[in-house]
Amino acid sequence: MASVGDAFFQKQLTSRRERLQAATARNGEMTELSRLVSEVDAALARLESGTFGICEVCEGNIEPERLIADPLVRVCLDELPPHERRRLEADLEMAGRIQRALLPPQDLTAHGWEVHYRYEPVGPVSGDYCDLIVANPPSGEVFFLLGDVSGKGVAASLLMSHLHAMFRSLVTTGQPLEQMLAVASRLFCESTLSGQYATLVAGRADGSGILEVAGAGHPPALLVGASGVTRIESSGFPLGMFADAHFTTQKVEFRAGDALLFYSDGVTESRSPSGEEYGVGRLARFAETQRGSTPADLVSACFGELRAFAGAQPRADDVTMMALRRAA
Ligand SMILES: [Zn+2]
């Protein structure tokens, strides 16, 4: 997860304090407001003394996402009373359900393209972003999107739904792919906390068999072709890192039997029981042996290979893969 420093919390807490004081001045009902003011003051004092973010009961670290959501928390999850834990779990479950409802159908055939993806969050919610969008006529173009938001948990899933909404509207504007990414990066910069960003690979295809691909700091897409696997590298920075970032698109020509594979870094950063990283090279070598399979079979085979590599090792990250090819 992208880390945020003391300065971030200092700013958050100071602005909370100002708002509370303004409300106190307006309001006759003092007790609740002054209680909150003293809690904010206590948090500022903890920042000052270097104990901010440390659990008051076990002296372990408080979960960073919970601190970002609420800088006033003083104990780690383990210390919460059962009813509060149940409430948090119910919230998380609901967030997961909302997130799953944002996913596109797992299989899509449009404009002579055939797509399949698999999305496996490690917890109830995921920081992976995956979408398939068919633009309205006359263009009817197909957009393939796969991204990975910094961080984990509910905070990351909120950013994921933010990306989802942005691209759903951006595709209606009909602007070039590289420009869509530039706008998305700027909007992401302006509307999220600093230090939060998303890597992304985006494809845009029409009926001619040519696909444009643009990447924002994402692992390379893999074109599985007759003469081997070509890596299509991401040339841009992650979305949200710079407000005036530039992106470039590459045209990818498909021949019969070729497939393109998108994946999140949860795939390539998976580890074997001995700690070895899965890596792009291994994924590319395996994908090459599967040339000619349908997108669904390719994704399923790659997941199988990844599982065999990782063994009983518990997964550390969300895993998403998408494959597409020209329909036979
Ligand atoms: Zn604790």
Side-chain angles (χ1 to χ4, degrees), residues 169-315:
S169 12
L170 279 170
V171 300
T172 65
T173 62
Q175 54 193 325
L177 192 60
E178 62 272 20
Q179 210 169 308
M180 276 177 41
L181 263 61
V183 174
S185 187
R186 194 163 61 242
L187 289 174
F188 211 69
C189 248
E190 286 166 359
S191 57
T192 57
L193 303 170
S194 64
Q196 294 189 302
Y197 54 86
T199 67
L200 176 86
V201 60
R204 170 194 198 132
D206 57 18
S208 72
I210 292 176
L211 177 95
E212 280 183 332
V213 179
H218 200 79
L222 302 176
L223 178 67
V224 187
S227 51
V229 174
T230 314
R231 294 182 187 204
I232 302 168
E233 301 285 346
S234 252
S235 58
F237 286 106
L239 303 181
M241 200 163 260
F242 300 104
D244 64 345
H246 293 271
F247 298 90
T248 49
T249 40
Q250 295 180 56
K251 280 197 163 59
V252 181
E253 236 177 296
F254 276 70
R255 294 193 177 79
D258 290 359
L260 189 65
L261 192 62
F262 291 164
Y263 52 92
S264 62
D265 65 11
V267 174
T268 44
E269 288 173 9
S270 285
R271 289 186 181 275
S272 72
S274 63
E276 193 191 348
E277 196 176 79
Y278 189 66
V280 183
R282 193 184 296 256
L283 177 63
R285 282 192 298 281
F286 179 76
E288 196 174 354
T289 67
Q290 303 298 306
R291 190 175 180 276
S293 352
T294 64
D297 288 344
L298 176 57
V299 167
S300 163
C302 289
F303 261 91
E305 223 270 320
L306 182 64
R307 266 203 205 104
F309 174 84
Q313 193 81 340
R315 274 198 299 134

Side-chain angles (χ1 to χ4, degrees), residues 55 57-59 76 79:
C55 172
V57 180
C58 71
E59 300 189 343
C76 74
E79 263 68 59

Side-chain angles (χ1 to χ4, degrees), residues 54-63 66 74-80:
I54 295 172
C55 172
E56 286 179 3
V57 180
C58 71
E59 300 189 343
N61 288 326
I62 300 175
E63 300 73 16
R66 287 181 60 233
R74 297 186 342 247
V75 292
C76 74
L77 274 180
D78 294 340
E79 263 68 59
L80 287 181

Side-chain angles (χ1 to χ4, degrees), residues 64-123:
E65 286 101 17
R66 287 181 60 233
L67 276 177
I68 292 176
D70 179 9
L72 302 182
V73 294
R74 297 186 342 247
V75 292
C76 74
L77 274 180
D78 294 340
E79 263 68 59
L80 287 181
H83 70 278
E84 277 192 44
R85 272 180 95 150
R86 276 197 298 276
R87 191 174 51 88
L88 279 180
E89 279 159 11
D91 284 354
L92 199 59
E93 167 58 28
M94 180 54 77
R97 230 182 297 164
I98 293 171
Q99 192 171 37
R100 284 192 296 280
L102 295 177
L103 290 171
Q106 251 191 313
D107 292 280
L108 173 82
T109 306
H111 254 332
W113 296 92
E114 209 183 311
V115 203
H116 178 88
Y117 76 89
R118 197 189 287 188
Y119 183 85
E120 290 193 353
V122 74

